[in-house]
């Protein structure tokens, strides 16, 4: 009875497996949802709004006059101590970086490590977006100094892990040092400190951190040094803020450090740029026992100036000084120039952002009205009005500076020079004008980094340009006029006109419309001007042909550069090129960068920058796996889109049951009098008229037209570059194809393939076999049959949705395109399959990019077209 009612073990295992599969699916879907841009943006906005609400509640008792008094009461020694501890904190971060480099067996000069650490953390602390700022700066520096992409990733990961671990340990130790700590927090402290034990414990002799990096076990001294350096960094960072709090005693530092670390972690996890508002909200709400709210607000503002804006300003001045030195010497190394060009936009954009925010804050809180220098200047608008407008425009300019727009460069220079002059003329003194002058000095020599086209300079003859200029002028005049007519509001920023008794009247309405018009006009003039890629010229094609001939290893697709339907971007060294065509908002590059492998990273950077200059997103189509590591290092996402069929010519044979169809095709062709011929490039005996007739008949029979981009077309000027393989019989040419051979003599392929519609069945099989045997006799290693699109894609439950859709298309769309039939046809030749990839930036949807490739190619053909 029991055996009849007991569930078999197999059934129980299947239920558990089903539950595990369901849980895995749920976790995979949750992961993709949390990783989406929409979720990250929504989360950051929600956290920022919550921080603003918390800040508003905390500062209700802190009046502007009290905050100003706290500023003035801050002793100089406290500011000096904050600066000193900040510099020491950055030196501790550099020590962690040096230890990470030593962990990998790489040694760099101390000044180089200090430089890259200072710049990368200055960008991360000042702007946030650590992957797009600090990590990108680290990548630029280390790549110029000879480190590979995997090594740079390992250094970043190791240094970041050391800082993160030490932050947790520092928080735990700070909690334990607090007197009368609630019991639950003791448990939290122990949990935070526990990972340090694993860090110090004995590790395996070797470990693999990244695929290309095998690590030997670091010594105990190295591990203790990394942990100690991180702990000291956190302590010094917290001390830089703590010394700015008046009246805080030394025995309170442990509790404050715990609050500081919590605020840093929350602000970093929020996704808000620089953690602006989030860090302040956390610290302010938990610091009541250390200082009064207005004193904490003043200390937080000073801390931001010292710890975030200060290093960012030094970085900007350093970049400007380097560029001035380069101009004076007339030369500079390409690596350092590339670094300067990459770092200047985010650095000055960050300064513009902080300066704009500071001007808005000052215009809202300044209650002291300084007397103008002359009665003539007193007729100008109030300093509050000008400061607030200048602050808003700098915030808009910061966005465009980040995007490297040339109009943003000019506008920012005009704003900082005009604003500094206005501050001096109004009697506010050099202290008010100095930040504006600092930004101008840092920005002036870096014009070469801002060369992307903008509407303000390149859409001058358009109606929107005239409308934007007119709207900007009218808005500024109206805003100044309404401010002068608003009586008491002249002592307040312009947005004060939008509230109070006058808000519903003509003055408030005019001020609101003028402010909105000024913002719209500035945004329009600072928007990008989309440009087209330059068409290829005969000189470009000749240059590309020379690069192909000099390259030791290129794909057969590289010869599509000779087709003349693509534009080119050449590397700074001139040894490489990328061929591409623009479509919509994307630049689609056909195949891999062509040139020496050591020049590939510079070529990828040049293509990305050229696309960005035209406000386009770069895409690489039909990539070989050899290029994938360099594209990953450059920040691209890699998607498998199919597999390429490669026939091993050394092992190819017509013997055996599997080759029966191919033998039959060759024998039938020979019995019907078809002879295989090879005509060398530019052979005067090439029957172009007859080949053109075969091509036209083939196109007419398939209701098609010439394709482009991913395939060649019948153009004698193009075909003259290649040998022509033909099957010719008593009635003329039955089938032909042009042969593409790589310069190293390793790989052979065909591009254009045509046959007479009346030709015998299997004529293309016979042509391919003849070409394969011909290449085999001449020592070629592989014959490339081309790609089978969407072949070999995963369709399991945890695969990305786009990958599962593509796999479904491969299985279900046979009647439309013949994906499986194309792979089955190529499989007859016994190839091995090599993956083919698509590389996109994070903002590009792979399915959209593939659809655009299809549009560029114009029309696809199924496998039956080549039989």
């Amino acid at each position: 009875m029991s055996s009849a009612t007991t569930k078999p073990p197999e059934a129980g295992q299947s239920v558990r497996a089903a539950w595990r599969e369901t849980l895995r699916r749920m976790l995979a879907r949750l992961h993709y949802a949390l990783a989406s841009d929409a979720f990250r943006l929504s989360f950051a906005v929600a956290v920022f709004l919550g921080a603003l609400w918390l800040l508003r509640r905390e500062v209700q008792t802190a009046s502007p006059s009290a905050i100003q008094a706290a500023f003035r009461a801050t002793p100089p020694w406290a500011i000096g101590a904050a600066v000193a501890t900040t510099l020491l904190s950055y030196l501790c971060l550099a020590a962690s970086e040096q230890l990470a480099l030593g962990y990998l067996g790489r040694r760099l000069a101390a000044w180089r490590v200090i430089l890259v650490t200072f710049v990368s953390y200055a960008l991360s602390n000042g702007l946030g977006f650590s992957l797009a700022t600090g990590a990108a700066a680290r990548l630029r520096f280390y790549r110029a100094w000879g480190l590979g992409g995997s090594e740079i990733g390992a250094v970043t990961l190791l240094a970041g892990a050391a800082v993160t671990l030490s932050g947790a340990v520092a928080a735990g130790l700070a909690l334990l040092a607090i007197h009368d700590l609630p019991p639950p927090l003791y448990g939290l402290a122990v949990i935070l400190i526990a990972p340090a034990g694993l860090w110090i414990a004995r590790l395996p002799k070797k470990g693999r951190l990244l695929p290309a990096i095998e690590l030997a076990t670091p010594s105990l001294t190295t591990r203790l040094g990394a942990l100690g350096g991180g702990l000291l960094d956190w302590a010094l960072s917290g001390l830089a803020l703590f010394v700015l709090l008046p009246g805080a005693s030394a025995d309170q530092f442990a509790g404050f450090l715990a609050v500081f670390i919590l605020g840093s972690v929350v602000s970093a996890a929020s996704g808000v740029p620089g953690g602006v508002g989030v860090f302040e909200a956390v610290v302010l709400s938990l610091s009541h026992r250390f200082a009064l709210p207005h004193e904490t607000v003043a200390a937080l503002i000073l801390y931001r100036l010292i710890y975030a804006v200060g290093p960012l300003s030094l970085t900007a001045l350093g970049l400007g000084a380097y560029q001035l030195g380069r101009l004076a010497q007339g030369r500079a190394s390409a690596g350092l120039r590339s670094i300067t060009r990459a770092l200047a936009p985010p650095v000055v954009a960050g300064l513009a952002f902080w300066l704009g925010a500071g001007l808005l804050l000052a215009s809202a809180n300044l209650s002291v009205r300084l007397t103008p220098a002359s009665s003539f200047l007193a007729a100008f608008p109030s300093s509050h009005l000008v400061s607030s407008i200048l602050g808003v425009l700098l915030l808009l300019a910061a966005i465009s500076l980040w995007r490297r727009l040339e109009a943003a460069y000019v506008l920012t220079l005009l704003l900082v020079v005009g604003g500094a002059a206005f501050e001096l003329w109004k009697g506010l003194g050099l202290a008010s004008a100095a930040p504006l002058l600092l930004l101008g000095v840092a920005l002036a020599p870096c014009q070469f980094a801002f060369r992307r086209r903008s509407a303000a300079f390149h859409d001058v003859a358009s109606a929107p340009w005239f409308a934007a200029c007119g709207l900007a002028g009218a808005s500024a005049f109206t805003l100044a006029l309404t401010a002068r007519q608003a009586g008491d509001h002249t002592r307040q920023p312009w947005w004060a006109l939008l509230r109070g008794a006058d808000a519903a009247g003509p003055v408030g309405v005019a001020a609101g419309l003028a402010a909105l018009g000024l913002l719209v006009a500035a945004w329009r003039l600072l928007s990008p001007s989309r440009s087209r890629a330059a068409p290829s010229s005969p000189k470009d094609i000749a240059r590309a042909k020379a690069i192909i001939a000099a390259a030791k290893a290129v794909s057969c697709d590289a010869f599509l550069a000779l087709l003349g339907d693509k534009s080119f971007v050449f590397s700074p060294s001139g040894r490489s090129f990328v061929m591409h065509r623009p479509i919509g908002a994307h630049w689609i590059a056909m195949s891999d960068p062509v040139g020496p492998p050591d020049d590939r990273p510079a070529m990828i950077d040049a293509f990305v920058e050229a696309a960005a200059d035209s406000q386009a997103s770069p895409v690489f189509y039909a990539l070989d796996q050899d290029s994938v590591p360099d594209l990953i290092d450059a920040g691209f996402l890699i998607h498998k889109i199919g597999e390429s069929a490669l026939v091993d010519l050394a092992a190819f044979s017509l013997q055996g049951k599997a080759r029966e169809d191919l033998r039959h095709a060759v024998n039938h062709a020979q019995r019907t009098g078809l002879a295989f011929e090879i005509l060398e490039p530019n052979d005067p005996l090439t029957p172009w008229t007859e080949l053109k007739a075969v091509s036209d008949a083939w196109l007419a029979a398939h209701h098609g037209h010439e394709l482009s981009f991913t395939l060649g077309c019948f153009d004698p000027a193009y075909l003259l570059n290649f040998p022509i393989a033909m099957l010719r019989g008593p009635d003329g040419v039955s089938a032909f194809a042009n042969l593409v051979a790589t310069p190293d003599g390793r790989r052979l392929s065909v591009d254009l393939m045509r046959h007479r519609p009346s030709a015998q069945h299997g004529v293309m099989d016979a042509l391919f076999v003849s070409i394969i045997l011909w290449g085999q006799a001449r020592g070629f290693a592989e014959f490339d049959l081309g790609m089978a699109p969407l072949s070999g894609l995963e369709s399991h439950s945890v695969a990305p949705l786009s990958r599962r859709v593509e796999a479904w298309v491969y299985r279900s769309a046979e009647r439309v395109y013949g994906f499986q039939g194309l792979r089955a046809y190529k499989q007859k030749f016994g190839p091995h399959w090599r993956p083919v990839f698509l590389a996109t930036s994070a903002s590009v949807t792979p399915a959209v990019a593939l659809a655009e490739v299809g549009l560029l190619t114009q029309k696809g053909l199924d496998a039956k077209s080549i039989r």
Side-chain angles (χ1 to χ4, degrees):
M1 179 67 67
S2 60
S3 61
T5 59
T6 302
K7 185 181 295 186
E10 293 79 5
Q13 293 175 1
S14 64
V15 171
R16 289 193 296 270
W19 276 106
R20 285 196 299 268
E21 179 65 18
T22 301
L23 179 61
R24 187 174 65 171
R25 290 184 181 183
M26 293 175 60
L27 293 177
R29 291 172 182 172
L30 179 63
H31 168 74
Y32 292 129
L34 296 179
S36 65
D37 293 336
F39 175 81
R40 289 198 296 265
L41 179 60
S42 302
F43 181 77
V45 170
V47 172
F48 182 67
L49 293 177
L52 288 182
W53 174 83
L54 188 59
L55 281 173
R56 184 177 183 275
R57 191 189 70 174
E58 293 293 333
V59 301
Q60 284 179 344
T61 59
S63 65
S65 59
I67 296 175
Q68 289 181 6
F71 271 119
R72 291 192 293 268
T74 304
W77 70 263
I79 296 177
V83 172
T85 51
T86 295
L87 294 177
L88 290 174
S89 171
Y90 275 81
L91 286 177
C92 290
L93 292 172
S96 297
E97 197 95 356
Q98 186 71 279
L99 286 172
L101 287 167
Y103 194 12
L104 299 176
R106 299 301 298 260
R107 296 291 179 183
L108 292 177
W111 71 267
R112 289 187 169 183
V113 179
I114 293 174
L115 175 63
V116 68
T117 304
F118 185 86
V119 172
S120 60
Y121 280 102
L123 288 168
S124 298
N125 294 333
L127 303 176
F129 305 117
S130 58
L131 289 179
T133 55
R138 187 180 280 106
L139 176 66
R140 292 277 182 172
F141 277 110
Y142 283 143
R143 179 181 287 178
W145 294 332
L147 270 70
S150 297
E151 292 176 309
I152 298 171
V155 170
T156 304
L157 184 60
L158 287 169
V163 172
T164 303
L165 173 65
S166 58
V169 175
L173 293 175
L175 288 174
L176 292 178
I178 298 175
H179 297 293
D180 300 326
L181 187 70
L185 292 183
Y186 278 109
L188 176 61
V190 172
I191 293 174
L192 291 174
I193 296 174
L198 299 177
W199 178 255
I200 299 174
R202 184 176 181 86
L203 299 176
K205 292 184 178 181
K206 288 187 178 181
R208 189 171 292 277
L209 180 65
L210 292 174
I213 299 294
E214 187 176 50
L215 301 174
T217 301
S219 64
L220 180 61
T221 303
T222 301
R223 282 177 276 160
L224 291 175
L227 181 61
L231 290 173
L232 189 58
D233 164 56
W234 281 105
L236 290 169
S237 301
L239 187 60
L241 176 56
F242 185 73
V243 296
L244 296 173
L245 295 174
S249 58
D251 59 344
Q252 295 177 316
F253 178 67
F256 179 81
L257 182 60
V259 172
F260 175 85
I261 295 175
L262 176 63
S264 300
V265 172
V266 173
S267 64
S270 67
V272 178
V276 176
V278 180
F279 174 78
E280 287 78 7
V282 174
V283 173
L284 187 59
S285 62
L286 299 177
S287 298
H288 295 164
R289 60 181 293 191
F290 308 113
L292 297 175
H294 66 276
E295 295 173 337
T296 305
V297 170
L300 284 169
I301 294 175
L302 285 172
Y303 175 77
R304 281 288 190 179
L305 291 174
I306 294 171
Y307 199 83
V309 180
L312 201 62
S313 301
L314 290 177
T315 301
L317 290 176
L319 291 174
Y322 163 75
Q323 181 61 14
L324 289 176
R326 188 192 70 84
L327 294 174
Q329 297 175 2
R331 60 185 179 84
S333 67
L336 290 179
R337 178 177 173 83
S338 174
I339 293 172
T340 305
R341 182 179 177 185
L343 295 185
V347 168
V348 297
L351 284 180
F353 170 80
W354 285 107
L355 184 54
L359 287 173
L360 288 177
L361 181 64
S363 63
N365 288 333
L366 279 177
S367 59
V368 179
R369 179 76 170 168
L370 299 181
T371 304
S374 68
S375 58
F376 171 75
L377 293 174
F380 279 75
S382 69
S383 60
H384 295 75
L385 174 69
V386 173
S387 296
S388 58
I389 294 177
L390 181 61
V392 172
L393 292 179
L394 281 175
L395 290 178
L396 292 178
I399 300 174
S400 297
L401 285 171
W402 186 289
R403 302 165 76 182
R404 307 184 184 190
L405 293 176
E406 53 189 350
Y409 173 84
V410 175
L411 175 64
T412 306
L413 279 182
L414 293 176
L415 288 175
V416 297
V417 172
F422 182 82
E423 296 290 338
L424 293 173
W425 289 348
K426 294 291 286 186
L428 299 182
L430 183 61
S432 300
L436 294 166
L437 294 174
L438 170 66
L439 178 58
V441 170
L443 182 62
C446 297
Q447 183 178 5
F448 74 100
F450 301 89
R451 64 178 193 179
R452 295 181 183 172
R453 297 162 57 95
S454 52
F457 291 166
H458 295 279
D459 296 339
V460 177
S462 64
W465 186 88
F466 286 108
C469 289
L471 184 61
S475 298
F477 177 78
T478 302
L479 195 57
L481 184 62
T482 53
R484 302 301 299 177
Q485 293 176 350
D488 293 339
H489 288 301
T490 57
R491 294 175 177 265
Q492 301 180 24
W494 56 265
W495 59 81
L497 302 173
L498 306 181
R499 67 175 187 266
D502 294 330
V507 171
V509 173
L513 292 177
L516 179 62
L518 186 63
L519 296 181
V520 170
W523 183 259
R524 174 67 186 86
L525 293 174
L526 289 173
S527 62
S529 174
R530 193 172 299 280
S531 62
R532 297 182 178 273
S536 60
S537 64
K539 182 179 179 181
D540 291 334
I541 295 176
R543 186 178 177 186
K545 187 176 181 179
I547 291 175
I548 295 173
K552 293 182 178 179
V554 297
S555 69
C556 294
D557 288 336
F559 290 88
L560 291 172
L562 310 182
L563 195 57
D565 65 335
K566 301 173 182 66
S567 301
F568 294 94
V569 174
F570 295 93
S571 67
S573 67
R575 298 186 296 150
S576 305
F577 72 86
V578 167
M579 51 183 168
H580 68 96
R581 281 181 65 180
I583 179 170
H586 302 150
W587 275 16
I588 310 291
M590 179 60 208
S591 191
D592 308 84
V594 180
D598 64 328
D599 198 40
R600 191 181 294 143
M603 181 66 259
I604 294 172
D605 290 343
F607 180 67
V608 171
E609 291 182 2
D613 289 344
S614 293
Q615 309 304 318
S617 298
V619 175
F620 284 88
Y621 173 75
L623 288 167
D624 189 76
Q625 60 190 19
D626 292 340
S627 298
V628 166
D630 290 315
L631 286 161
I632 292 177
D633 290 343
F636 281 83
L637 301 179
I638 306 300
H639 317 272
K640 184 179 178 181
I641 57 173
E643 294 177 309
S644 181
L646 299 175
V647 179
D648 184 355
L649 295 185
F652 181 80
S653 172
L654 290 176
Q655 303 301 317
K657 180 68 174 177
R659 303 289 185 268
E660 183 178 3
D661 290 344
L662 298 180
R663 288 198 307 273
H664 175 75
V666 172
N667 293 334
H668 183 62
Q670 293 174 351
R671 286 195 302 269
T672 55
L674 294 180
F676 177 68
E677 299 181 33
I678 295 289
L679 297 176
E680 294 301 319
N682 206 17
D683 192 319
L685 299 179
T686 303
W688 293 112
T689 302
E690 188 175 359
L691 297 181
K692 181 68 164 60
V694 172
S695 177
D696 291 344
W698 185 88
L699 289 173
H702 292 90
H703 307 287
H705 54 278
E706 291 288 4
L707 307 182
S708 64
F709 191 63
T710 61
L711 297 170
C713 62
F714 190 91
D715 177 9
Y718 170 67
L719 296 176
L720 280 172
N721 295 286
F722 308 99
I724 304 295
M726 300 184 301
L727 284 178
R728 180 152 50 180
D731 298 330
V733 176
S734 290
F736 74 92
N738 66 311
L739 301 184
V740 180
T742 56
D744 59 2
R746 173 174 175 77
R747 187 172 295 178
L748 182 67
S749 183
V750 296
D751 178 21
L752 186 73
M753 300 168 286
R754 301 287 160 87
H755 64 82
R756 290 187 184 276
S758 59
Q760 62 191 33
H761 178 73
V763 66
M764 292 306 295
D765 287 359
L767 180 61
F768 282 161
V769 170
S770 300
I771 294 172
I772 288 174
L773 295 176
W774 178 86
Q776 188 181 58
R778 281 155 182 79
F780 285 93
E782 294 177 330
F783 180 69
D784 189 351
L785 283 165
M787 181 174 64
L790 307 184
S791 172
L793 304 187
E794 304 93 335
S795 60
H796 53 74
S797 60
V798 296
L801 177 61
S802 60
R803 184 68 55 81
R804 283 182 278 161
V805 169
E806 291 164 356
W808 174 83
V809 170
Y810 175 77
R811 296 191 306 268
S812 306
E814 182 66 20
R815 288 182 294 178
V816 178
Y817 183 88
F819 293 103
Q820 297 182 62
L822 180 61
R823 180 184 173 95
Y825 175 79
K826 296 181 178 183
Q827 187 64 42
K828 294 193 303 182
F829 295 87
H832 63 272
W833 296 91
R834 188 177 177 93
V836 180
F837 300 96
L838 176 80
T840 67
S841 60
S843 61
V844 178
T845 303
V848 173
L850 290 175
E852 289 177 335
V853 171
L855 291 175
L856 290 175
T857 307
Q858 297 182 16
K859 186 179 181 181
L861 300 175
D862 61 27
K864 298 177 182 178
S865 301
I866 59 173
R867 297 178 186 173

